[in-house]
Amino acid sequence: MQSSIKSVGTYVPDGVLTNFDLEKMVETSDTWIRERTGIKERRIAAPTQTTTDLAVAAAQSALGAAGLRPEDTDLIVLGTSTPDSFFPSGASLVQQQLGAHGPAFDVQAACTGFLYAISIADRFVSSGQARQALVIGAETLTKIINFKDRGTCVVFGDGAGAVVLGPAVNGGGIKSCVLHSDGSGGDLIYVAPGEPGPEGRGHAEIRMDGRKVFRFATQILAEVTLEALAKAGVPLESVRLIVPHQANARIIEAAAKKLGVAPGVMANNIAWYGNTSSASIPLALKDAVVDNRLQPGDHLVLVGFGSGLTWGACVIEWEGAPAGGA
Ligand code: UT7
């Protein structure tokens, strides 16, 4: 049995932080940010809004789109690097708020979190151990940003995305997943203690060697896409859509070039959300579905990388799935 995406849902906070807002906070410019990253604005959670709040809202929109009730699911896997607390897990909190049942746990693989989560849930569903799984990527990264560090504060944003995973019906669904990790790159992006900032933000902060991560990312996105396609036995030419982690528009363009695919094959909505870590792939997938970029029978690749270093990709034969949410 193969597992398949039954619906996609998203939630982003109402608060918008534009490049012009950042110009007032740190020495940067709208032009620099747009040209170097492709980002125009990002969402920012309210001080009282938690990662769990975002995850619950995204899960509800995925369930609503599929016409399912929380009790119709029996597994929750949440990819996040910004859980509300060390424990209980964010997934347990989501389960309680939804009124769902079954095992629930978090996966911490930074920006590759959604790929790790969907890959694990795929094993549960395809082995029959779960009937229908909620797979969520949710982050409130702006709570761990130093808004004086222009190397990171212009890049990251908050958001959440979710899919319901269930048994494939037409022989489609997830064809392969590959996951990797190399801890020797752990010092390239990490969280360190930070100065307390306004509204409690900044107790811990992301530190990043942007240039080194950039070089790694442009190489690895193409490499792992080809690895996952080879494992699935799907030729690159038959891929309709590649949904990469939204870290930087230039990384996405470079990956398209390396693969030799038209830029239009790559999903790219980074202008509106920035880098939302484990939420970025489901957020971009949702926009692609809403824009009618996928038809049943199409092949797509979800591909990402992040702190760890971690990276991975999944090849999917799209069976058709509704999308919902903000
Ligand atoms: O999802 C987690 C994975 N993370 C990533 O994928 C991040 C990958 N890296 C990147 O996206 C880019 O490296 C950044 C967007 C973080 C930085 O862009 P860059 O083109 O690599 O800039 P850079 O660090 O090479 O800096 C170029 C110049 C420097 O000035 P000088 O030394 O040439 O005078 C920086 O000081 O740009 C300066 N700079 C800025 N200027 C205005 C760096 N950040 C900014 C800024 N505004 N925000």
Side-chain angles (χ1 to χ4, degrees), residues 1-3 120-131:
M1 183 165 46
Q2 287 190 165
S3 80
I120 292 165
D122 167 56
R123 296 291 85 208
F124 272 76
V125 173
S126 59
S127 67
Q129 205 176 333
R131 210 166 22 91

Side-chain angles (χ1 to χ4, degrees), residues 28 32 36 111 150 208 210-211 245 247-248 250 275 305:
T28 191
W32 190 96
R36 305 302 291 173
C111 300
R150 67 179 183 174
M208 178 168 76
R211 276 182 212 191
H245 169 46
N248 186 317
R250 289 190 297 131
N275 180 342
F305 63 93

Side-chain angles (χ1 to χ4, degrees), residues 134-166:
L134 261 172
V135 183
I136 310 168
E139 305 283 4
T140 49
L141 292 163
T142 62
K143 293 183 196 285
I144 54 165
I145 289 294
N146 175 354
F147 280 97
K148 289 179 190 147
D149 175 8
R150 67 179 183 174
T152 53
C153 75
V154 303
V155 174
F156 294 100
D158 301 333
V163 300
V164 173
L165 216 58

Side-chain angles (χ1 to χ4, degrees), residues 279-294:
S280 88
I281 289 176
L283 278 170
L285 176 63
K286 188 289 204 76
D287 281 359
V289 173
V290 168
D291 293 344
N292 228 6
R293 292 181 66 182
L294 285 169

Side-chain angles (χ1 to χ4, degrees), residues 4 48 101 113 144 152 205 247 298 303:
S4 185
T48 53
H101 306 285
I144 54 165
T152 53
E205 64 188 49
D298 285 348
V303 59

